[in-house]
Amino acid sequence: MNEEQFVQALKEQGIELSEGQLKQFHTYFELLVEWNEKMNLTAITDQPSVYLKHFYDSISATFYMDFDKVQSICDVGAGAGFPSIPIKICFPHLQVTIVDSLNKRIQFLTHLSEQLNLDHVEFVHSRAEDFGQNPKYREQFDLVTARAVARLSVLSELCIPLVKTNGHFVAMKAASGDEEMKDAKKALTVLGAKLVDSYSFLLPIEDSERSIFIFNKTKNTPKKYPRKPGVPNKSPIQ
């Protein structure tokens, strides 16, 4: 996907990029490649693939929800900033918090946000389990999202405690989404969320499958969740 195809594909979804926004994406790509030589941020570094598999794929969450009505989002385990930084570029009003367990990635994201002149962004170096127990962040966000971080049964425990009651958890998945959804039913009930929408679509050009699950937080999450670092992964709520 070249820049022209990227612009056109987003336009078809109702997102019109300004010259400034397009320049931000170009700078993002350049910095991603530059920093990737020093640290492992992504295996995908050629421009057409970055624009398709990172930028467009990240923004796809906004095709199925009205992000104009969202104020604050938290991205759990964003790595090189996906999906929240591409979403922030398209929706500059958003207040974005990214949590990641690797300090080097936080350094990259801090530098990136400065170079892109992003405001209302915060980067937190923390394990997601500890972050979810921090009163400053717990149940504070309109929307919490994650992309390709962990199985849905595990991911739910890391993300749902951060969502405000009546807020949303948006899980971005590859083709395995439906299987994961079955495994996660108990966790979702315990954590206080219910599925409101799910969408499957094909990524343009390469036609790889994607799933997006949108959950509504219906009640407060019990205080014991998330459990200590490593426990959700070893013993998912089943």
Side-chain angles (χ1 to χ4, degrees):
M1 179 177 269
N2 60 33
E3 281 192 44
E4 203 175 300
Q5 290 169 315
F6 177 66
V7 170
Q8 187 55 38
L10 289 183
K11 199 173 184 179
E12 285 167 13
Q13 297 289 347
I15 297 171
E16 299 213 24
L17 296 178
S18 66
E19 282 298 313
Q21 287 168 313
L22 200 52
K23 196 173 174 188
Q24 283 176 306
F25 278 113
H26 188 70
T27 302
Y28 193 168
F29 165 69
E30 289 183 329
L31 287 171
L32 183 68
V33 172
E34 181 191 323
W35 279 63
N36 204 57
E37 289 173 8
K38 297 181 272 186
M39 66 174 81
N40 181 26
L41 289 167
T42 176
I44 298 166
T45 53
D46 65 287
Q47 189 165 5
S49 296
V50 168
Y51 272 75
L52 176 64
K53 294 181 181 179
H54 283 328
F55 296 165
Y56 182 88
D57 193 21
S58 292
I59 299 162
S60 66
T62 72
F63 306 161
Y64 304 100
M65 264 194 85
D66 186 356
F67 271 66
D68 288 322
K69 292 181 179 171
V70 176
Q71 282 301 314
S72 58
I73 76 169
C74 179
D75 187 354
V76 175
F82 308 121
S84 56
I85 299 295
I87 290 172
K88 168 73 174 172
I89 293 171
C90 294
F91 296 85
H93 74 280
L94 290 170
Q95 297 169 14
V96 174
T97 302
I98 290 178
V99 57
D100 199 277
S101 60
L102 198 64
N103 200 37
K104 282 183 179 176
R105 287 197 288 255
I106 295 293
Q107 288 169 1
F108 165 71
L109 292 167
T110 302
H111 178 74
L112 175 70
S113 72
E114 287 165 1
Q115 296 303 306
L116 299 184
N117 291 316
L118 300 179
D119 59 5
H120 303 297
V121 288
E122 181 183 7
F123 307 108
V124 183
H125 175 225
S126 174
R127 290 289 296 261
E129 296 95 332
D130 295 328
F131 185 79
Q133 288 290 357
N134 185 331
K136 183 181 173 186
Y137 302 108
R138 186 180 178 86
E139 301 191 326
Q140 294 300 311
F141 298 96
D142 296 334
L143 187 147
V144 178
T145 188
R147 176 174 170 260
V149 171
R151 288 183 65 78
L152 196 51
S153 53
V154 178
L155 198 58
S156 299
E157 186 171 348
L158 304 180
C159 293
I160 293 169
L162 299 165
V163 183
K164 286 178 182 173
T165 304
N166 295 320
H168 292 90
F169 163 42
V170 177
M172 305 178 72
K173 290 285 173 187
S176 64
D178 286 339
E179 273 304 305
E180 291 191 27
M181 187 62 218
K182 286 177 198 161
D183 290 344
K185 281 187 175 168
K186 170 93 185 285
L188 292 161
T189 303
V190 168
L191 298 162
K194 67 172 184 180
L195 182 69
V196 285
D197 279 306
S198 65
Y199 302 94
S200 294
F201 64 98
L202 298 176
L203 215 51
I205 300 167
E206 65 167 35
D207 286 345
S208 53
E209 291 179 52
R210 294 290 185 271
S211 303
I212 289 179
F213 297 97
I214 300 173
F215 303 92
N216 180 238
K217 174 95 169 253
T218 55
K219 61 181 183 183
N220 289 352
T221 300
K223 287 188 168 62
K224 69 179 276 194
Y225 301 107
R227 292 165 293 167
K228 289 180 179 175
V231 177
N233 205 29
K234 279 189 201 126
S235 312
I237 303 165
Q238 294 287 347

